[in-house]
Structure formats: structure tokens, C-alpha cells
Amino acid sequence: MRQFCAAALAALFLFIGLVSHASAQDITLRSRDGGVELTGTLLGFDGEFYRLQTQYGELTVDSSGVLCEGVGCPSLTDFVAELTVSGSETMGAVLMPALIEAFALRGGLTTSRETTGPDTFTYHLKEGGTGKTVGRFFFHLTNTDTGFADLLSDNADIVMALREIRRAEITRAHEAGLGDLQKHNRSRVLALDAMVPIVAPGNPVDAISPTDLSRILAGTLTNWATLGGPDAPISIHLRNPGSGLAQGVEDRLVKPARVTLTDGIIRHDSNTALAEAIARDPFGIGLASYSEIGNTKPLDLTGPCGFRLNAARRTIKTEDFPLTAPMFLYLPARRLPALAREFLAYTGSTSAQIVIRRAGFVDQAPEEVPIDLQGDRFRNAIAVADGTSGLSELQRMAKTLSGKRRLTLSFRFEPGASRLDAQSRSNVQHLARALEAGTYDGRHMLFVGFSDGQGPAEGNLRIAQKRAEAVRLAVVEAAETADLSRVVMASDAFGEAMPMACDDSTWGRQANRRVEVWLE
């Protein structure tokens, strides 16, 4: 049939949508020769495509092939790109505004911020010369739960989340026609954060094990004297239950320990309020965002083997600090306006990583760490080297890695699974894009697998080698346009030779099971 019919039929098979914040109204789309027409409720317009709810279902139609009739028809010449972002207050208060302002400046646009409510605001983006409005970005700052609820009710286009999407949310999103939000193109890690145990500055305790943290959260460890502190009851401070930070605490500390949260936890509506409360409470402990610990004292993570891990930009970026928390943007399977797509592309750029660092968060720009800065890790390796075979493997590792530099992109697998965790899946994409850009042309890239110390050493070595090769193949598959003949890529493994944490807990073993990338 005519061009319009072909477009309409093709749209039946497009699992994409469009974004609009105008009230839904009935419109008629008519082919330019007047032979075919389609009536339905306008769900969205992105400046190029209409999205309609019709008797045939939800259709997407190219505006260049049709004429729009009805009071709800948007302007093709004065189109303003609109985007609604909902979810984590941690991400939306500082980080996203900083990125929007930097994006606008780079594109010659001006920005103005309009506060529209206690937890809402709008960014207006205008052309620098004419002052014409070209975009409006609406923000609803609440928590991760509300962000997903807004997305599922069609009140948001993007979710800011401090945790991975949960199975029930995946199912509901799929049923709502939003696509599979587990796919890598439906989410991206914007920046990195961490859950950091904090106490008041005067508290003498300076380190705690995740096992003891779990006992505190469960209410079975209740006095600071047990940890070498004063003889005083421990008060617990956490974010409100709907926040991604609080849910991350449950997912990473409570559930693996197979305990439940105790009663009497003091809850806070913001990260700032949590940090301020801990600073005032001499016997309080909380788990705070790395970006907002305020005037509190962060505690190192430790264990019976004596290893200590502190939250710092590099240890968070490498996931050596085990309570790292990726900051996600989730996007449904719908077409966003061009300006919104350009903004999302900008968030992964080199200049955006600088903005992320300046905003107090941990960026994802890969860095190369010289081997002479691996002292603590090699000291741990020496301390646990067991017998002749352990010493031999340690010597082989030192010889193999000598002269190489460690890349800050590490890879870990989900507990009990062969699937990479969320941050690692993002790291695969980052490394693949770098290979496509020729960043590592002429270099030798070695994927190195490590394991925990549970079970026979030979078996651990085989598993570590298998994981290293799996990561290498995942990166190769993702780097579709890279000329891999310009890079020498290989894999190796050293099993349990260089542990990051004690093996006495689930989190410690998870930290030790990893794949690193070393460059020469």
C-alpha cells in the first residue's frame, strides 16, 4: 500500500515508544495524498515520530509521511524536547544537574532551574543566541522505589537507581511494554558510589568487619565494648526503607548473612540528614553514601585475617572495596527525543567523567595503576602464601605482572552464577568502546583471574582461568567494530594467590573472586 500504510504496519512490530508530557488527546494522522488515515490517542511525540494508542494497539509513525489533525497535534517547528527523570535523591540533587549544565554549556545552550515543588524541579534549556527553549528536563527526587513506580505508571522516562532492578519490577515493566530492562542497552552505570560504615568523630573504633556489621543490623551485637569501644549501646541509623542505599544494605549485608533487620533503627529521609545525625550521636553507626559522609568518621572494613579495606576513589572504581554501589540510569524501550539521546551519550564521555569527579562521585574513566602501587595487595599475597606450591604460584604471578600496569576496570560475577554483576557488565562495554576507539592499540592486554581460598587450590585455579577467559571473550564480542589485530589479548590465572579480603564471610569470598586487566 501507500507509504503511510507501510509505516503503520511496520510500527506494529516496533517495541519502542516516544516521550511527551502534554495531556493525551485524540488526533488523526492522514497520509499526504489523503488516501489513508489513522485515529488514536496521542501518547507521545519526540520531534520526529508520533506514538499513538489505536484500535490496532500502540503504533509509532514517522511524522514526515503524514499530516496531523486535531487540537492535540504538536508543533513540528517549535518542538521542545521533554524528559522526566525520577528516583534517587542522591543522584538527582547534585550529579544530574551538574551533568545537564555541563552538557548545555558544551552545546552552546543556556540553562535555568525552576523549583516546582518540595521534591521537583525543571531544567529549561535554551539556545544561546535566540533564547528559544529547546528542552525541558523534569526531575522528581524521591527514592529508587518511587522512580520505578513512576516509570511503570508512565510518569517517568528514566529512573535514577542506587540498586539493580528487582525481578518483580522487571516482570511488571515487560508487561507494561517497556522492554526487558535487564538488557545492557536498557540500563547504564552513570557513576559509582559505595556504602560506607560511619561513626561520630570521637568514636575510638576505626574498623569493623562486615560480619559484625551484619550482627549489629540484626540486633545481636548491641554494645560498642564488643568492638573495642566504650561500654555503651549501639544506635543504628539508616536511610528510609524505600531508598536504594537502604535496600543495598539489606541486599549486601543482611540477606547474605541470613538475618533480618532489628527493630528500633533510626531512619532518615536524606543522606545529609543521616550523616548529620551520626556526627551528633557518639554511640551511633550508619551506612552512608561515599559522596556524603559529612563530618563523620568512616570505618575501614576488616576481618580476622587482618586485611583492611577503606573506601577511596580508586578502591571503589576497582571494586576492591566490596560495598561498592553502582548508580544506574534505567531507560525503557521507547524512543527519546534527540536532545535527550545526545545528553545520555554525553554522560559517557571523557568530559562527563571529569564532571562526575568534581560532583564528589567516582567516575568510570579507566586508569592505569603501576605495579609499585600494589604494595598492600602483594603484602596480603605473601602473608597467605601456603607451602611450596603457594610460594611458587606467588613467584609466577610476580614475574608475569612485572612491568605491567593494572587497569581500574575489574570484573566480578553474581554470587553463585556465571553472569557478570551489573558494574562488570558496564565495564565490559567501557573496555569494548575503548578498544573500538583504538585506545590500547599496540598494547598487550592480559585478563587475570583470581579466586577465593575455599576448596582445593588446583580447582580454584581452573575456575579463575575459566572466568578470565569468559571476560576476555565478552569484551571481544562487545567490541564489534574494533580492529583487534592491533591489540594482543590473552588470559591467565593465579587462583587464590592475591586475596583482597578475608575468606571468613560471603562478602570476603566475593571480593576475592575477580578478573583484573593488566596492560603492558
Side-chain angles (χ1 to χ4, degrees):
M1 291 180 68
R2 296 176 176 84
Q3 179 184 4
F4 171 75
C5 285
L9 289 172
L12 284 169
F13 300 97
L14 289 175
F15 204 60
I16 62 175
L18 309 176
V19 179
S20 174
H21 303 277
S23 299
Q25 299 185 52
D26 286 343
I27 62 170
T28 297
L29 300 181
R30 196 183 310 276
S31 60
R32 293 191 178 275
D33 64 4
V36 181
E37 68 177 40
L38 185 68
T39 298
T41 301
L42 179 65
L43 300 178
F45 178 67
D46 73 344
E48 300 173 89
F49 289 82
Y50 298 101
R51 181 166 61 102
L52 274 76
Q53 184 65 48
T54 73
Q55 60 179 322
Y56 307 109
E58 187 175 307
L59 302 180
T60 300
V61 180
D62 189 340
S63 65
S64 64
V66 298
L67 299 173
C68 184
E69 299 176 357
V71 295
C73 289
S75 170
L76 299 181
T77 57
D78 295 323
F79 171 74
V80 177
E82 295 186 332
L83 183 75
T84 295
V85 185
S86 178
S88 166
E89 185 266 346
T90 301
M91 298 173 64
V94 176
L95 179 56
M96 289 292 282
L99 287 168
I100 288 173
E101 291 174 7
F103 164 74
L105 182 63
R106 183 184 183 186
L109 303 175
T110 63
T111 60
S112 61
R113 175 169 169 162
E114 176 190 7
T115 299
T116 54
D119 56 8
T120 59
F121 60 86
T122 302
Y123 263 96
H124 301 269
L125 281 67
K126 300 181 180 181
E127 292 180 345
T130 65
K132 176 184 175 182
T133 299
V134 295
R136 283 188 286 266
F137 289 8
F138 304 91
F139 280 85
H140 183 201
L141 306 190
T142 51
N143 54 51
T144 299
D145 275 1
T146 301
F148 281 117
D150 283 347
L151 181 70
L152 293 169
S153 61
D154 206 25
N155 289 318
D157 307 313
I158 294 178
V159 178
M160 301 176 291
L162 288 184
R163 59 164 173 81
E164 284 195 73
I165 188 170
R166 292 181 165 167
R167 187 171 302 278
E169 293 162 339
I170 293 170
T171 301
R172 291 198 296 271
H174 194 273
E175 292 171 348
L178 301 179
D180 183 356
L181 296 187
Q182 276 190 305
K183 289 187 175 180
H184 76 268
N185 60 342
R186 299 272 67 84
S187 68
R188 62 186 62 192
V189 177
L190 182 66
L192 303 174
D193 203 353
M195 297 174 287
V196 183
I198 58 172
V199 295
N203 193 315
V205 175
D206 59 7
I208 190 170
S209 72
T211 300
D212 284 340
L213 268 176
S214 299
R215 294 171 61 203
I216 289 173
L217 293 169
T220 58
L221 196 165
T222 60
N223 195 292
W224 281 109
T226 308
L227 302 173
D231 183 10
I234 299 173
S235 56
I236 308 169
H237 298 255
L238 293 178
R239 281 292 312 274
N240 53 342
S243 75
L245 183 64
Q247 292 168 351
V249 170
E250 292 192 52
D251 292 344
R252 304 286 290 278
L253 286 169
V254 177
K255 291 179 181 177
R258 298 181 180 179
V259 296
T260 57
L261 286 173
T262 185
D263 296 329
I265 294 175
I266 304 167
R267 299 285 187 169
H268 301 276
D269 291 333
S270 70
N271 293 332
T272 301
L274 171 61
E276 289 176 349
I278 290 292
R280 294 190 305 266
D281 184 350
F283 307 124
I285 188 170
L287 281 138
S289 164
Y290 169 75
S291 62
E292 295 187 69
I293 63 173
N295 295 321
T296 64
K297 182 173 78 171
L299 301 182
D300 290 350
L301 294 180
T302 188
C305 64
F307 297 173
R308 290 172 72 109
L309 297 167
N310 68 321
R313 191 175 69 87
R314 183 172 290 165
T315 60
I316 293 172
K317 183 177 285 194
T318 59
E319 283 191 275
D320 290 349
F321 184 78
L323 296 182
T324 297
M327 310 179 83
F328 297 94
L329 293 180
Y330 279 92
L331 303 84
R334 64 167 62 130
R335 185 183 175 91
L336 298 176
L339 186 68
R341 298 198 302 271
E342 291 168 5
F343 169 69
L344 289 172
Y346 167 76
T347 62
S349 68
T350 300
S351 60
Q353 303 312 303
I354 297 173
V355 174
I356 290 168
R357 287 198 298 271
R358 289 177 176 172
F361 297 89
V362 178
D363 66 283
Q364 294 189 94
E367 301 174 28
E368 296 181 24
V369 184
I371 195 168
D372 58 3
L373 294 181
Q374 306 291 322
D376 288 345
R377 285 156 38 96
F378 276 98
R379 184 180 64 244
N380 293 346
I382 294 169
V384 300
D386 186 20
T388 304
S389 61
L391 180 60
S392 174
E393 192 68 4
L394 182 58
Q395 290 173 333
R396 185 176 76 86
M397 181 182 71
K399 182 178 180 180
T400 301
L401 301 182
S402 178
K404 295 181 174 62
R405 302 167 71 90
R406 182 192 177 192
L407 203 61
T408 53
L409 297 179
S410 298
F411 303 87
R412 287 180 168 82
F413 292 80
E414 294 178 345
S418 59
R419 183 172 184 254
L420 288 168
D421 66 22
Q423 184 172 334
S424 299
R425 295 195 299 271
S426 176
N427 288 346
V428 166
Q429 299 302 317
H430 276 280
L431 188 52
R433 301 294 83 77
L435 288 168
E436 290 176 336
T439 303
Y440 302 112
D441 284 0
R443 307 285 296 273
H444 286 69
M445 180 176 290
L446 183 66
F447 292 80
V448 182
F450 295 94
S451 71
D452 60 43
Q454 300 291 299
E458 290 184 3
N460 288 335
L461 185 62
R462 285 194 299 270
I463 293 172
Q465 176 68 64
K466 184 177 179 180
R467 286 174 172 163
E469 182 62 11
V471 173
R472 187 189 70 82
L473 292 175
V475 172
V476 168
E477 183 179 357
E480 296 178 356
T481 64
D483 183 355
L484 297 180
S485 66
R486 297 176 178 271
V487 184
V488 178
M489 302 175 69
S491 62
D492 203 340
F494 302 106
E496 56 197 62
M498 190 157 60
M500 295 301 308
C502 306
D503 272 333
D504 68 313
S505 63
T506 300
W507 75 269
R509 292 188 291 273
Q510 180 68 12
N512 291 333
R513 296 191 292 262
R514 67 196 185 279
V515 175
E516 299 177 357
V517 180
W518 288 74
L519 295 167
E520 185 177 20

